[in-house]
Amino acid sequence: MAHPAESAFITACRGDRPDHVPVWFMRQAGRSLPEYRKVREGVPMLASCFDTDLVVEITMQPVRRYGVDAAIFFSDIVVPLKAIGVDLDIVAGTGPVVAEPVRSRAQVDTLRDLVADDVLPITAAVEALVTELGPTPLIGFAGAPFTLASYLVEGGPSRDHRRTKQLMYGDPDLWHALLGRIAQIAGQFLRLQVQAGASAIQLFDSWAGALSPADYRTYVKPHSEAVLASVADLGVPRIHFGVGTGELLVDMRSAGADVVGVDWRVPLDDAIRRLGPGAVVQGNLDPTTLFGPTDVVHAKAAEVVAAGAAAAGHVFNLGHGVLPDTDPDALARLVDFVHAQPVPSA
Ligand code: CP3
């Protein structure tokens, strides 16, 4: 049987041209799928992330339904924090909520290293998935230090990240200590997933676009760099993604990414020019396009595929996650459409 390493997805991640344009979707598992809503009935989000059988089932659902080129392990960026004992919950319709926002040295010191025993149900799920997926690669993931710090410091989702920046500017020593702790934990979480069989990893710095390039370089990049460097020896492609990061793409690449995720605000050919020679990109159809007519969705998808030709490698994706009320049939048609496109040559 073919091995994930020979898949179209891994081939594109390595900067080569596979026989078709690989496609998967951020948040492909989740509320847009009726079969997801059914198995999640009565099970809180975090409980489902620590339930091996549920993680396997939910991860497989979009692979079965859409025939996407990669699975992304069902979990959440706050799971490793929960696993080391941070009192937090994921509230439906809101997101992660932290009981005691982290703003003091004593609180940072409670963020201990993550060890294999903390996430046994999760690594068991990764192992089972790798067997069940066969030739289809599994993507492991973690939240990047800035995005996780934002949830920890704010205590929940934030529009402007003002308390996060208050700590960043007001107490840089404590800030770097906090991001250093998170980088360690995120790196360990990724390592455990790859050791359990994941074929690639994605570091989600979803909210990094809130930062100026100068602040990104001073306060954040060294920590994301530490996470990506900590898994470099494992030899799997490392994808680095954030939203609204048009001005940060070059830095996100040089932080140690093999593949740069691009949101929909930057035209993909522009992003590729900014990144320079040898860049491999992932993206970047606007997720709300899927609420438009099929011919518009496909015309825009064709533009993304054509733009991707200028990169050394291109993985088709949305520019951010699938919205919960997206019609799954629209995603199924999109996968078929992308797969039917000839692989463009540069
Ligand atoms: O992509 C996938 O299919 C894998 C699963 C996945 C989830 N969260 C499941 C989830 C991944 C990769 C994440 C990462 C994540 N979590 C990020 C980074 C990616 C991004 O979207 O930018 C962030 C910022 C979070 C934090 C978080 N967790 C948010 C903002 C929410 C949504 C809150 C809501 O209810 O609208 C969550 C909860 C969450 N994570 C859900 C899922 C399927 C919804 C919970 C539910 O189904 O009850």
Side-chain angles (χ1 to χ4, degrees):
M1 190 166 54
H3 191 268
E6 289 138 35
S7 64
F9 168 73
I10 297 292
T11 302
C13 287
R14 299 218 180 277
D16 290 324
R17 295 279 155 193
D19 61 1
H20 65 270
V21 177
V23 48
W24 70 279
F25 304 118
M26 293 183 276
R27 295 282 176 97
Q28 62 191 15
R31 281 174 295 185
S32 59
L33 295 180
E35 58 269 36
Y36 170 83
R37 297 195 295 267
K38 187 155 183 284
V39 296
R40 275 287 319 283
E41 244 168 59
V43 188
M45 175 65 188
L46 275 172
S48 65
C49 294
F50 285 90
D51 179 320
T52 303
D53 293 344
L54 262 184
V55 171
V56 172
E57 166 58 22
I58 295 171
T59 303
M60 290 305 296
Q61 286 178 346
V63 179
R64 285 188 211 119
R65 188 188 262 264
Y66 302 130
V68 278
D69 292 273
I72 182 156
F73 144 69
F74 176 77
S75 192
D76 194 81
I77 56 171
V78 296
V79 161
L81 299 175
K82 179 76 183 176
I84 60 156
V86 177
D87 186 359
L88 60 82
D89 199 5
I90 297 179
V91 179
T94 301
V97 175
V98 178
E100 288 171 37
V102 174
R103 293 168 197 167
S104 73
R105 172 69 61 169
Q107 288 173 300
V108 171
D109 289 342
T110 65
L111 300 172
R112 66 161 173 86
D113 283 356
L114 181 80
V115 294
D117 279 356
D118 298 321
V119 288
L120 290 176
I122 293 169
T123 43
V126 172
E127 283 165 11
L129 277 163
V130 170
T131 304
E132 190 156 342
L133 284 162
T136 304
L138 178 70
I139 304 169
F141 72 90
F146 177 76
T147 293
L148 283 175
S150 172
Y151 285 112
L152 284 177
V153 176
E154 303 288 338
S158 163
R159 195 181 288 273
D160 48 27
H161 309 274
R162 74 179 75 169
R163 286 201 178 264
T164 311
K165 290 184 179 179
Q166 189 172 37
L167 179 70
M168 185 172 96
Y169 296 129
D171 194 343
D173 287 348
L174 184 57
W175 172 259
H176 286 295
L178 172 62
L179 268 73
R181 287 312 308 141
I182 300 172
Q184 184 77 23
I185 294 159
Q188 285 157 335
F189 191 48
L190 291 175
R191 191 163 198 91
L192 290 166
Q193 293 171 57
V194 176
Q195 283 169 343
S199 293
I201 62 97
Q202 178 155 328
L203 188 62
F204 282 97
D205 209 352
S206 301
W207 313 140
L211 295 160
S212 71
D215 284 350
Y216 179 77
R217 285 179 208 126
T218 305
Y219 297 106
V220 172
K221 187 180 177 185
H223 302 288
S224 298
E225 218 168 337
V227 178
L228 292 168
S230 77
V231 291
D233 62 306
L234 299 174
V236 299
R238 295 160 297 171
I239 310 167
H240 196 184
F241 168 79
V243 182
T245 47
E247 300 302 324
L248 305 179
L249 291 174
V250 171
D251 283 298
M252 289 179 71
R253 182 182 183 199
S254 62
D258 303 300
V259 180
V260 179
V262 182
D263 91 345
W264 69 94
R265 293 173 182 85
V266 188
L268 194 60
D269 46 0
D270 224 36
I272 294 164
R273 260 194 303 277
R274 290 180 190 201
L275 285 164
V280 179
V281 293
Q282 175 174 281
N284 76 341
L285 186 73
D286 180 348
T288 54
T289 310
L290 288 153
F291 295 85
T294 304
D295 56 330
V296 176
V297 177
H298 292 184
K300 290 190 178 294
E303 285 171 22
V304 170
V305 170
H314 174 220
V315 175
F316 189 97
N317 206 315
L318 304 179
H320 197 187
V322 172
L323 292 162
D325 48 352
T326 304
D327 175 6
D329 292 340
L331 287 168
R333 286 192 296 269
L334 177 56
V335 171
D336 292 345
F337 178 81
V338 172
H339 281 166
Q341 300 304 295
V343 179
S345 49

